[in-house]
Amino acid sequence: MEFVERKIILFNAFQKKTQKTPQKEIDKALKLKREYFELKKTQGNEKRSNKKR
């Protein structure tokens, strides 16, 4: 989870069957998090460039 602008964003969910979180699930969640923030960054840049017009 990541706290963004007072929002909680759940990037990945799975059912744990052991104490240890599988590395595959950690990698998947980190990838989704990176993609989300890249998309937000891109959208933010588009909004700023549209305001200048």
Side-chain angles (χ1 to χ4, degrees), residues 18-34:
T18 64
Q19 279 293 100
K20 186 168 171 61
T21 303
Q23 187 62 44
K24 180 177 102 174
E25 295 297 335
I26 294 170
D27 294 341
K28 181 178 179 181
L30 292 172
K31 178 180 177 272
L32 292 170
K33 178 181 170 183
R34 278 191 304 273

Side-chain angles (χ1 to χ4, degrees), residues 4-38:
V4 179
E5 300 172 6
R6 296 186 169 252
K7 296 177 186 175
I8 298 175
I9 302 165
L10 180 64
F11 293 106
N12 190 27
F14 65 97
Q15 187 172 11
K16 280 184 75 167
K17 296 177 182 162
T18 64
Q19 279 293 100
K20 186 168 171 61
T21 303
Q23 187 62 44
K24 180 177 102 174
E25 295 297 335
I26 294 170
D27 294 341
K28 181 178 179 181
L30 292 172
K31 178 180 177 272
L32 292 170
K33 178 181 170 183
R34 278 191 304 273
E35 289 173 359
Y36 173 81
F37 283 108
E38 279 300 314

